[in-house]
Amino acid sequence: MASSIQLCAATTILCILAGIGWQKFCKARSQWMEDLELLGRPRKQKLHGTAVVCGGSIAGTVTARILADHFERVVLVDPELEDMEKPKTRIVQYNAAHVYLSLFVHGARKLWPNFDSEFLAVTGRLVPADSGIRYSGVRVINPDQDYPSGSFPESLVIRRSTSQKVLSRLLIQHPTSANITIIPGTIRGFEATSDVTSIQSVTVRKLDGTEAVLNDVAMVADCTGTTQAGLKWLRKAGFSLPENIRRSYDANLRYTTLNFTVPAELEAKLPIPESARNTMFAYGHLEHFAYGGRLYGLMLTDNNTMQLSLCNTDDNLPRVASDVVPWLTSIRSHAEVPTWFLETIEILCEQGEPWFDHTRIAPQSYIQYHKAPARTLPSNFIAIGDAVMQLNPVNGQGFAKILLSGIALNTLLLNTDPKASNLPTDFPARYFKTSAAYSQGLWDGTRLHDYGDVNCEPMDGNN
Ligand SMILES: Cc1cc2nc3c(=O)[nH]c(=O)nc-3n(C[C@H](O)[C@H](O)[C@H](O)COP(=O)(O)OP(=O)(O)OC[C@H]3O[C@@H](n4cnc5c(N)ncnc54)[C@H](O)[C@@H]3O)c2cc1C
Ligand SMILES: *[C@@H]1O[C@H](CO)[C@@H](O)[C@H](O)[C@H]1NC(C)=O
Ligand SMILES: *[C@@H]1O[C@H](CO)[C@@H](O)[C@H](O)[C@H]1NC(C)=O
Ligand SMILES: *[C@@H]1O[C@H](CO)[C@@H](O)[C@H](O)[C@H]1NC(C)=O
């Protein structure tokens, strides 16, 4: 499967080291690759009741779209959905540079057949899934032999602010939106059924301050991102989940994005070679672990803009344009950084109206719902996206991770009997188990990498 190359990227290095025997392991098809193809196919007889999606960012949008293929009604609640085009204020990384791996692109195309045309209309760039990353200046090897020239799957390069708006637009344009109700408001909590086996109702506070109670709840999906509100709501409603179900460590990451305005006249002055225009990062650089944990990359984004992202595990990041090139050149490397790249940054810092967005990335966390003892989770609860797992964003896996869980959810729902009045009691256990199997490697891989940095504060215990 095409998109496998990105999830396999880290493993690929190991495979090369370990020799040909590993090749088979790397290239084995996983169940999710088969199930990915089942996304976006509406079922004939819908499941009874209303599916409530808490949070309407990326996970909420993808989940609402999937659930609309399965349930009679979907309700999507988020305080920032009143005007979908308005910049989001509750997402710290809204102005941060993002990449969108081909797994996300492939899955989203299944959900929205007009994905490409809508993204191209706002001048989003669909480019071959070649990251353009150098490790200490040395180009990371691509699996070229598996993809004869030009046939890499596509990934997307665009500002997050633009992608977020386009995804919301895709959701409301799709025919299934006829059965999706959007409520601008904040979820306040759940009420359990009297036997505490499922969620009976969900309380919403609307923007005008009035409260509404959603009944007939067939499913509740926690898509509240960093807030991870679902866990608090479950405990408050009487579901007793183990104390240590939420694990976290702190990679101590600071992330700065510089965005540049680059009209055609300015772009013409930039010495960017043609070969660097057809990759995700025109130039991306990962510091050798023996020197430190710094990372930077330049992306050619939508609508005459470019973004330079800078990441560090301590607070030493440039704050003014004149400090940027000195910061870049202070990083030791095994191969030289190309002069065209440094010249480009110099010109952009002078003439590209640089604008800085500094963020302190929240600690990495994982609510291990799949380890909840049997029957402690309500039979109609799931969680998806950062509401479950917040990764070090260094590998740009956040959107792809949402798709992986979406695939697990979709397949389980396809196998659910529409004649039953409720979901089977083991539904969440099965969902979280599959979803965890698909994304555990992302957590382990980035975590073990982070543990190599002196500024990382590991989590307690071993798992
Ligand atoms: C600096 C940085 C760079 C990143 N770069 C990349 C990248 O390059 N590629 C990539 O794929 N990922 C990247 N990520 C990760 C990616 O941004 C996240 O994984 C993604 O935003 C998660 O989406 P989400 O919908 O789960 O949560 P969020 O985007 O955090 O959205 C949560 C939503 O829940 C809503 N909400 C919260 N509480 C309530 C409530 N009580 N009621 C109703 N709604 C509520 C909020 O309003 C918000 O809309 C990056 C992250 C960071 C921090
Ligand atoms: C591009 O940016 C300009 C100026 O910021 C804006 O007016 C225009 O609407 C944008 N175009 C698209 C397609 O987003
Ligand atoms: C909306 O729901 C009804 C009732 O379940 C169903 O018959 C109809 O096909 C749905 N519409 C769409 C566009 O999915
Ligand atoms: C840079 O980010 C700021 C804050 O989001 C935004 O107002 C501005 O339009 C952005 N400019 C570009 C070129 O992306």
Side-chain angles (χ1 to χ4, degrees):
M1 219 312 297
S3 329
S4 66
I5 70 160
Q6 290 184 324
L7 279 182
C8 245
T11 346
T12 306
I13 298 167
L14 290 175
C15 291
I16 292 163
L17 296 176
I20 213 81
W22 281 87
Q23 286 266 331
K24 272 205 183 93
F25 171 76
C26 267
K27 290 176 188 172
R29 282 181 74 82
S30 296
Q31 186 60 41
W32 67 263
M33 295 179 195
E34 313 282 341
D35 290 354
L36 172 58
E37 307 304 324
L38 303 176
L39 280 176
R41 293 189 198 165
R43 60 188 300 141
K44 283 195 192 79
Q45 198 184 342
K46 294 273 178 352
L47 304 172
H48 297 300
T50 304
V52 181
V53 182
C54 314
S57 178
I58 311 307
T61 304
V62 168
T63 306
R65 169 68 194 87
I66 291 172
L67 294 181
D69 279 339
H70 295 280
F71 286 92
E72 289 170 336
R73 288 173 301 278
V74 175
V75 174
L76 175 61
V77 185
D78 191 300
E80 300 206 270
L81 283 182
E82 194 176 31
D83 178 355
M84 289 184 170
E85 303 283 318
K86 237 167 97 181
K88 303 272 176 266
T89 61
R90 280 160 215 261
I91 300 162
V92 219
Q93 67 271 35
Y94 186 70
N95 297 312
H98 277 60
V99 296
Y100 310 86
L101 303 184
S102 55
L103 167 56
F104 171 76
V105 172
H106 191 104
R109 279 172 172 162
K110 295 272 165 200
L111 295 172
W112 292 288
N114 58 336
F115 180 89
D116 283 24
S117 60
E118 288 296 310
F119 274 95
L120 292 174
V122 295
T123 65
R125 296 171 52 242
L126 288 161
V127 297
D130 171 355
S131 67
I133 296 277
R134 279 74 162 174
Y135 187 66
S136 199
V138 180
R139 212 174 217 299
V140 174
I141 302 165
N142 283 321
D144 291 311
Q145 70 284 6
D146 295 336
Y147 299 89
S149 136
S151 71
F152 269 7
E154 285 178 312
S155 49
L156 178 66
V157 185
I158 193 167
R159 286 172 296 174
R160 162 133 189 188
S161 47
T162 314
S163 68
Q164 185 112 15
K165 287 174 201 158
V166 174
L167 282 174
S168 291
R169 222 175 285 157
L170 283 169
L171 182 74
I172 54 173
Q173 281 172 3
H174 194 272
T176 52
S177 74
N179 289 344
I180 302 178
T181 307
I182 293 172
I183 304 182
T186 308
I187 305 273
R188 305 289 292 157
F190 311 144
E191 194 79 54
T193 50
S194 53
D195 58 359
V196 201
T197 56
S198 59
I199 298 165
Q200 165 116 32
S201 65
V202 176
T203 308
V204 182
R205 181 188 284 158
K206 298 194 185 166
L207 296 185
D208 63 7
T210 58
E211 286 208 342
V213 177
L214 307 172
N215 290 304
D216 184 28
V217 173
M219 175 179 278
V220 178
D222 175 15
C223 300
T224 57
T226 320
T227 6
Q228 299 182 332
L231 185 59
K232 294 161 214 161
W233 295 332
L234 288 175
R235 287 191 167 134
K236 231 171 137 198
F239 297 95
S240 43
L241 291 157
E243 253 336 290
N244 65 350
I245 197 163
R246 182 179 185 277
R247 311 306 315 271
S248 83
Y249 73 94
D250 194 352
N252 241 309
L253 301 169
R254 325 285 156 142
Y255 193 94
T256 293
T257 301
L258 272 87
N259 67 14
F260 303 105
T261 306
V262 193
E265 314 83 78
L266 177 57
E267 172 136 21
K269 292 186 207 165
L270 302 175
I272 304 175
E274 209 42 51
S275 60
R277 291 178 179 275
N278 215 21
T279 50
M280 293 160 84
F281 285 100
Y283 182 82
H285 191 108
L286 212 59
E287 187 172 23
H288 190 279
F289 67 87
Y291 304 155
R294 286 173 286 185
L295 160 75
Y296 61 84
L298 175 70
M299 277 191 281
L300 279 49
T301 40
D302 54 295
N303 200 7
N304 301 318
T305 66
M306 294 190 188
Q307 289 185 326
L308 176 68
S309 54
L310 311 168
C311 187
N312 201 351
T313 58
D314 64 36
D315 212 2
N316 165 25
L317 281 168
R319 302 260 154 183
V320 290
S322 56
D323 286 349
V324 175
V325 172
W327 187 87
L328 297 173
T329 50
S330 72
I331 298 175
R332 280 173 68 194
S333 60
H334 287 76
E336 256 175 59
V337 175
T339 47
W340 68 258
F341 170 71
L342 295 170
E343 278 167 31
T344 299
I345 300 300
E346 204 160 339
I347 300 171
L348 288 174
C349 283
E350 279 164 15
Q351 302 172 39
E353 299 166 29
W355 187 93
F356 285 76
D357 175 74
H358 300 285
T359 53
R360 161 77 168 93
I361 297 179
Q364 289 54 58
S365 65
Y366 185 11
I367 307 181
Q368 300 181 318
Y369 283 114
H370 60 289
K371 292 195 177 165
R375 317 249 158 150
T376 50
L377 283 171
S379 61
N380 54 355
F381 174 81
I382 63 137
I384 187 162
D386 283 14
V388 179
M389 186 193 282
Q390 279 183 276
L391 296 166
N392 174 345
V394 61
N395 297 318
Q397 295 154 327
F399 283 57
K401 171 168 59 70
I402 289 168
L403 249 297
L404 281 172
S405 299
I407 292 165
L409 176 63
N410 184 60
T411 299
L412 268 179
L413 286 171
L414 280 174
N415 294 325
T416 301
D417 180 5
K419 286 186 215 77
S421 53
N422 297 311
L423 291 173
T425 48
D426 64 348
F427 187 90
R430 289 169 63 198
Y431 162 74
F432 283 116
K433 203 169 148 235
T434 311
S435 176
Y438 292 170
S439 40
Q440 185 74 35
L442 307 181
W443 173 253
D444 292 337
T446 46
R447 188 168 61 91
L448 295 177
H449 172 268
D450 292 343
Y451 281 11
D453 193 279
V454 288
N455 295 313
C456 181
E457 294 158 41
M459 63 189 190
D460 296 332
N462 296 322
N463 46 0

